[in-house]
Amino acid sequence: MRLRPNARILIRCPDQPGIVAAVSGFLAHWQANILTSQQHSTDPEGGYFFMRMVFDAGAIEEADRQGFEAAFAREVATPFAMDYSIKWPGPGPRMAIMVSKADHALLELLWRWRNGELLGSVELVVSNHEKVRDVTQSFGVPFHYLPVTPETKTEQETALSRLLVSANVDLLILARYMQVLSPTFVQRWHGRVVNIHHSFLPAFVGADPYRQAYERGVKLIGATAHFVTDELDAGPIIAQDVRPVSHREGVPALKRLGRELERSVLARAVEAVLDDAVMVHENRTVVFDR
């Protein structure tokens, strides 16, 4: 498990002069050295300001962190009407992965996690099929089988919620989970569910989109990773990628290229979320470099 090596402050607030100076001055007072700082404004006149600041917290003892947070709220956050979070060094987010039959996105995440490329820990994998049980357990990750039918959907989502709560899960990743989550579940886990889908929507819906794309002679295929909202596949986008194709690629080649894109885009999006580099504003995201 890769630990968070440094502290981070993430800030969203109405844009106005003096925000960066206030934050950097506060950190200097606490002898916290700034390592990286990135900011973005939607509009300097009446817009919103976003900032991700990474700092060395070595000079701040663990016993002093509560005092640091209270002082920041009083001296900086309140005067600037900030919506903010402070992340300290240590264990990263706890993840759960949901998958159906296709295992390419799951395997990419498990491989990167085992090799220390993802911050945090994979606590469990949940599937509505048994197919990925063995490969999941080969990584030492608990596997839970929750088959879903129209009659059992509500019951199984309740069981899923119990699993996530008992494992203290922070982030749920849908790695080609081919079931639609209910609005009630999505609201309960708002902002904490990431999904991946092919880029053919809304043009080619339903079964076998790659064959539909082939029959239409598409010249670009791609994948999109996004946060899950009540509107299907329409949540704030975190990462995307495309690849050009030609008349030479048949359906099997398109599917293979699609799998490559899906697993790399999802992994990139998950890595950004785990590294506290993604902030949501309305139905868009600000994704900072790391």
Side-chain angles (χ1 to χ4, degrees), residues 37-151:
S37 179
Q38 298 178 72
Q39 45 276 340
H40 169 72
S41 175
T42 60
D43 189 338
E45 298 292 336
Y48 267 82
F49 178 84
F50 301 85
M51 182 164 68
R52 178 182 187 266
M53 188 171 280
V54 180
F55 63 95
D56 183 357
I60 305 171
E61 300 290 339
E62 286 195 35
D64 295 332
R65 290 177 181 178
Q66 187 173 355
F68 176 98
E69 294 182 7
F72 184 85
R74 181 178 62 254
E75 299 171 19
V76 182
T78 299
F80 287 95
M82 291 179 177
D83 178 12
Y84 72 98
S85 63
I86 299 173
K87 312 284 187 177
W88 295 102
R94 298 164 66 89
M95 295 169 276
I97 304 173
M98 297 190 71
V99 61
S100 290
K101 293 182 178 179
D103 61 4
H104 55 282
L106 168 69
L107 287 171
E108 184 73 19
L109 292 172
L110 291 176
W111 185 86
R112 294 194 185 205
W113 167 68
R114 186 179 64 183
N115 284 273
E117 296 180 20
L118 294 180
L119 184 70
S121 59
V122 179
E123 297 298 320
L124 67 154
V125 169
V126 179
S127 180
N128 56 326
H129 295 278
E130 288 274 13
K131 181 180 177 182
V132 298
R133 176 186 289 274
D134 290 345
V135 70
T136 297
Q137 293 178 338
S138 71
F139 283 84
V141 176
F143 176 85
H144 298 270
Y145 173 51
L146 292 180
V148 178
T149 67
E151 294 75 25

Side-chain angles (χ1 to χ4, degrees), residues 143-165:
F143 176 85
H144 298 270
Y145 173 51
L146 292 180
V148 178
T149 67
E151 294 75 25
T152 64
K153 185 178 181 65
T154 300
E155 176 185 346
Q156 296 297 59
E157 282 195 351
T158 300
L160 171 61
S161 291
R162 290 197 196 100
L163 285 173
L164 300 180
V165 171

Side-chain angles (χ1 to χ4, degrees), residues 193-239:
V193 185
V194 174
N195 189 27
I196 184 72
H197 66 76
H198 59 76
S199 67
F200 298 135
L201 297 173
F204 306 131
V205 299
D208 212 348
Y210 287 97
R211 178 166 294 280
Q212 296 180 58
Y214 172 78
E215 292 171 351
R216 287 288 301 276
V218 299
K219 297 300 183 279
L220 281 176
I221 65 172
T224 296
H226 61 95
F227 287 110
V228 173
T229 61
D230 288 346
E231 187 176 355
L232 184 63
D233 293 329
I237 293 170
I238 307 167

